[in-house]
Amino acid sequence: VACLSNLRQVGMGLLMYANENHDYLPPWYDGTASAADHAAGMDRWNIRIEAQYVKNKDAFFCPVIKLIN
């Protein structure tokens, strides 16, 4: 149930992003990040929606995986 809720949050974040960006989804990588940000993964699509649309960064991870590891 928690994983499904997380998927819903991420999906809603993507829809809100697209709604405000002419129906485009965020790019995976657009080449504008600095080398340090790129190395840290700060140029990915999830970073683009996390700050404004998905307030819970844990929504990008399934809690069940923590139990498996």
Side-chain angles (χ1 to χ4, degrees), residues 9 49-60:
Q9 287 181 54
I49 68 167
E50 182 181 307
Q52 189 171 355
Y53 305 104
V54 181
K55 301 299 183 191
N56 180 9
K57 68 179 180 180
D58 291 336
F60 294 96

Side-chain angles (χ1 to χ4, degrees), residues 2-42:
C3 288
L4 187 58
S5 175
N6 288 355
L7 285 172
R8 182 182 180 282
Q9 287 181 54
V10 172
M12 293 300 293
L14 288 168
L15 287 172
M16 289 185 288
Y17 177 96
N19 189 49
E20 294 181 3
N21 290 279
H22 307 287
D23 294 328
Y24 285 100
L25 293 173
W28 171 254
Y29 171 67
D30 66 5
T32 61
S34 69
D37 284 348
H38 179 68
M42 299 299 290

